[in-house]
């Protein structure tokens, strides 16, 4: 939308008479009017102002007045204790129950959709105090809607911006000029872009504190602001009202509420008494001509100075810039969320069943298409996206979602991460933990049933061959441990009997570097026998818990008689001892 900009308000009452007149005018309209308080949107009053940019020239609030009352001199006792609110205090310092609940709800909602903004509810409270005196002291019904509309003065160019009607009087009951509306004082055109339904009644009502507070929160967070950074917070407040005095007033209440405040019953809050004073039009009854702004490069929020600048007139003032197209809230990237991605687990060498899916939202919390999202795999498991890529960039669809390519696990077991990054300036990042488990088998067995026998000091002539399977299919690449044991359960290792040899030729009775081949087969290295005869056990265990126990026998060969003789002939004969 095109922003209607006029000179900023001059803050503070000038004389008692002027202040009294302004108070009376505000009382008649039942609103403190003007600046976009904590409506969560941007500057609600700027006609056609779609984005919250503190660098915009002019006033985004239509030059409507706001309350300039400052906090009590006596601050709460506990600095930083706003999370533990005092029970009692003055009505001026307290916040009506429904109003306070709306601010806190808005903070929680924005923390879910745009956590990088770090919106504090105390900022909403400060703006709500300055804009409407906390909805005129909390005069709202059970749903949070003001008991009567809060309207600012007509933006007719008489001391305010000239903003002709944009809503047919639907929100402000004025079919000629727009007025700031509700506890957060949005002008109708801005509400049309930033309005929210926070209380779930199916309506976006600027007179409802829940709707208005959430709209204000989202507006303040626009343009990738991080409100925990002082400069960003100042820009957000100035985008609501282009006045350094306004900023100072909001800042003072913000600091006050951060130190602590208390809840008071709805309708018992005290309405502020000191509104800011609009600058009178030089020719009452006639809209003021739009001045050519001369922005100050040194002071964000500084007041523009009227005065044309013509080529060749010796002026060094910046020339007016042609209007630029600004993205609407519906086009502005707001947050990046997980769109239901489940646990990322896979066996080495296999594809992951789950794929990373993210959801991009705009500044209003609605799904946003055409957002570039970069997915990156980080870790040393060898896992890659389909096609062998570690990084891939895709754009969200019309529903705001985008799904990364299929992940294929590497051969190394372990953990790794997948990150999804979107946005510029203040990128949003999601991180997903993923795990690769070793290949597994649920069964292992010998491929034959030959008895395995060796003589002492010899090696077993027949090799031991086994096959591992998983769900009846060959289990390739499965790690197998072979151990000589004393019992079938493998609880006690054996230090005698059969053994393997290591690379140096020394006896070892446990091997942990064995792996099945592509067909799930494993042929064990040669097995040797020491000099201890008997029956021994070899236990093979796979990754996944499958096992088999194989018997190995060390036995001396039986002696056989020479061919052509009988056992009696080969038996040793007794030696006769000669008689003495």
């Amino acid at each position: 939308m095109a922003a209607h900009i006029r000179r900023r308000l001059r803050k503070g009452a000038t004389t008692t008479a002027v202040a009294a007149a302004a108070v009376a005018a505000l009382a008649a309209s039942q609103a403190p009017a003007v600046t976009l308080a904590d409506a969560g949107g941007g500057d609600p009053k700027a006609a056609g102002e779609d984005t919250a940019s503190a660098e915009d020239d002019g006033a985004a609030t239509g030059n409507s007045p706001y309350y300039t009352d400052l906090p009590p001199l006596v601050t709460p006792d506990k600095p930083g204790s706003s999370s533990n609110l005092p029970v009692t205090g003055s009505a001026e310092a307290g916040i009506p129950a429904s109003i306070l609940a709306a601010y806190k709800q808005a903070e929680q909602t924005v923390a879910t959709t745009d956590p990088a903004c770090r919106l504090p509810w105390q900022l909403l409270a400060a703006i709500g105090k300055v804009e409407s005196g906390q909805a005129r002291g909390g005069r709202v019904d059970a749903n949070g809607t003001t008991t009567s509309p809060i309207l600012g003065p007509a933006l007719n160019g008489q001391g305010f911006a000239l903003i002709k009607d944009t809503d047919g009087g639907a929100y402000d009951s004025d079919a000629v000029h727009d007025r700031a509306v509700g506890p957060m004082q949005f002008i109708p055109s801005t509400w049309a872009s930033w309005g929210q339904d926070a209380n779930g009644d199916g309506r976006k009502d600027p007179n409802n504190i829940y709707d208005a507070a959430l709209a204000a929160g989202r507006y303040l967070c626009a343009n990738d602001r991080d409100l925990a950074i002082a400069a960003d917070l100042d820009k957000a407040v100035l985008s609501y009202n282009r006045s350094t005095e306004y900023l100072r007033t909001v800042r003072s209440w913000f600091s006050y509420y951060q130190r602590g405040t208390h809840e008071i019953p709805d309708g018992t809050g005290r309405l502020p008494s000191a509104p800011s004073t609009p600058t009178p039009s030089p020719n009452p009854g006639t809209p003021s001509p739009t001045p050519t702004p001369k922005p100050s490069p040194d002071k964000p929020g500084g007041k523009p100075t009227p005065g044309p600048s013509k080529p060749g007139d010796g002026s060094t003032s910046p020339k007016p810039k042609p209007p630029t197209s600004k993205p609407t809230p519906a086009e502005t990237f707001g947050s990046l969320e997980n769109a239901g991605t489940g646990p990322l687990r896979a066996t080495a060498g296999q594809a992951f069943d789950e794929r990373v899916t993210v959801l991009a939202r705009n500044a209003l919390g609605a799904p946003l298409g055409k957002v570039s999202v970069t997915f990156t795999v980080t870790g040393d498991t060898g896992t890659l996206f389909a096609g062998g890529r570690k990084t891939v960039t895709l754009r969200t669809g019309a529903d705001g979602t985008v799904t990364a390519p299929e992940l294929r696990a590497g051969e190394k077991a372990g953990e790794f991460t997948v990150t999804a990054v979107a946005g510029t300036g203040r990128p949003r990042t999601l991180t997903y933990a993923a795990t690769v488990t070793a290949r597994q088998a649920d069964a292992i067995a010998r491929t034959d049933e030959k008895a395995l026998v060796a003589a002492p000091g010899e090696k077993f002539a027949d090799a031991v061959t086994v096959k591992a399977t998983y769900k009846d299919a060959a289990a390739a690449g499965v790690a197998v441990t072979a151990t000589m044991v004393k019992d079938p359960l493998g609880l006690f290792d054996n230090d005698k009997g059969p053994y393997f040899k290591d690379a140096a030729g020394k006896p070892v009775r446990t091997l942990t570097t064995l792996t099945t081949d592509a067909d799930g087969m494993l042929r064990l290295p040669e097995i040797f026998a020491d000099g201890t005869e008997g029956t021994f056990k070899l236990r093979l265990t796979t990754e996944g818990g499958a096992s088999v126990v194989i018997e190995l026998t060390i036995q001396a060969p039986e002696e056989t008689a020479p061919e052509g003789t009988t056992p009696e002939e080969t038996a040793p004969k007794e030696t006769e001892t000669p008689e003495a």
Side-chain angles (χ1 to χ4, degrees), residues 4 15 19 30 60 78 109-110 123-124 149 154-155 162 212 220 239-240 262 272 315 344 377 391 426 493 532 571 575:
H4 295 267
T15 66
Q30 297 181 330
K78 299 178 180 179
T109 301
V110 173
L123 180 58
L124 295 177
L155 299 176
L162 174 59
L220 293 167
S239 77
Y240 219 88
H262 61 282
S315 171
L344 297 173
V377 175
T391 299
R426 184 164 56 87
D493 293 349
T532 306
T575 302

Side-chain angles (χ1 to χ4, degrees), residues 79 271 344 358 437 519:
L271 192 64
L344 297 173
V358 299
T437 57
D519 298 320

Side-chain angles (χ1 to χ4, degrees), residues 55-431:
E55 290 72 32
D56 290 343
D57 295 332
T61 59
N63 283 349
S64 298
Y66 58 87
Y67 288 121
T68 60
D69 298 51
L70 296 176
L73 294 177
V74 179
T75 59
D77 294 333
K78 299 178 180 179
S81 66
S82 57
S83 59
N84 300 311
L85 303 181
V87 177
T88 62
S90 69
E92 170 68 11
I95 301 177
S98 293
I99 313 304
L100 180 60
Y103 296 151
K104 290 188 174 183
Q105 178 177 299
E107 177 192 63
Q108 293 170 358
T109 301
V110 173
T112 300
T113 60
D114 188 4
C117 174
R118 295 191 281 184
L119 169 73
W121 67 260
Q122 294 92 340
L123 180 58
L124 295 177
I127 294 177
K129 181 71 173 181
V130 170
E131 291 295 336
S132 68
Q134 310 297 20
R136 295 200 309 262
R139 289 168 175 78
V140 296
D141 62 19
N143 294 320
T145 302
T146 57
T147 53
S148 60
I150 300 178
L151 300 174
L155 299 176
N156 56 12
Q158 303 303 304
F160 312 110
L162 174 59
I163 303 179
K164 294 183 179 181
D165 176 65
T166 61
D167 66 333
Y171 292 119
D172 57 10
S173 301
D174 190 333
V176 179
H177 299 99
D178 270 349
R179 297 170 180 258
V181 181
M184 301 310 280
Q185 290 288 276
F186 283 95
I187 59 171
S189 56
T190 304
W191 183 258
S193 296
W194 291 91
Q196 302 286 302
D197 175 20
N199 65 349
D201 64 357
R203 298 178 60 231
K204 297 179 180 179
D205 185 359
N207 286 299
N208 181 275
I209 185 58
Y210 291 96
D211 294 357
L214 180 57
R218 294 201 189 285
Y219 180 88
L220 293 167
C221 288
N223 296 343
D224 290 341
R225 293 194 185 101
D226 180 353
L227 299 183
I229 298 175
D232 277 7
L233 187 143
D234 287 350
K235 289 178 181 179
V237 175
L238 287 169
S239 77
Y240 219 88
N241 186 311
R242 290 287 292 160
S243 162
T244 53
E245 292 298 326
Y246 179 86
L247 173 62
R248 280 195 285 268
T249 304
V250 169
R251 271 283 196 179
S252 66
W253 280 104
F254 177 53
S255 297
Y256 182 84
Y257 288 140
Q258 281 187 310
R259 293 189 183 93
T261 184
H262 61 282
E263 179 183 298
I264 60 176
D266 288 347
T268 64
R270 184 187 306 166
L271 192 64
S273 59
S276 59
T277 306
T279 301
S281 175
N283 191 2
T286 303
S288 302
T290 303
T292 301
K294 296 182 180 179
S296 167
D298 300 324
K299 299 180 181 179
K303 301 173 184 176
T305 304
S309 176
K310 300 178 181 178
D313 66 355
S315 171
T316 58
S317 301
K319 304 300 183 290
K321 296 179 181 179
T324 57
S325 175
K326 296 181 181 179
T328 67
E331 299 169 331
T332 303
F333 177 54
S335 64
L336 190 67
E337 304 173 13
N338 180 14
T341 306
L344 297 173
R345 300 191 189 97
T347 302
Q350 303 300 311
F352 283 73
D353 292 333
E354 284 285 330
R355 293 170 65 180
V356 175
T357 302
V358 299
L359 168 64
R361 294 185 184 276
N362 63 22
L364 297 176
L368 181 62
K370 299 183 180 179
V371 174
S372 292
V373 181
T374 299
F375 299 93
T376 303
V377 175
T378 303
D380 61 356
T381 64
T383 300
L384 298 170
F385 288 118
R389 295 170 294 175
K390 296 192 72 171
T391 299
V392 62
T393 300
L394 302 170
R395 295 171 77 88
T396 59
D399 63 352
T401 66
V402 62
T403 300
E406 180 183 70
L407 284 166
R408 180 163 289 275
E411 290 299 331
K412 183 178 179 180
E415 296 182 348
F416 68 97
T417 60
V418 180
T419 57
V421 181
T424 58
R426 184 164 56 87
R428 275 63 159 189
T429 302
L430 293 177
T431 301

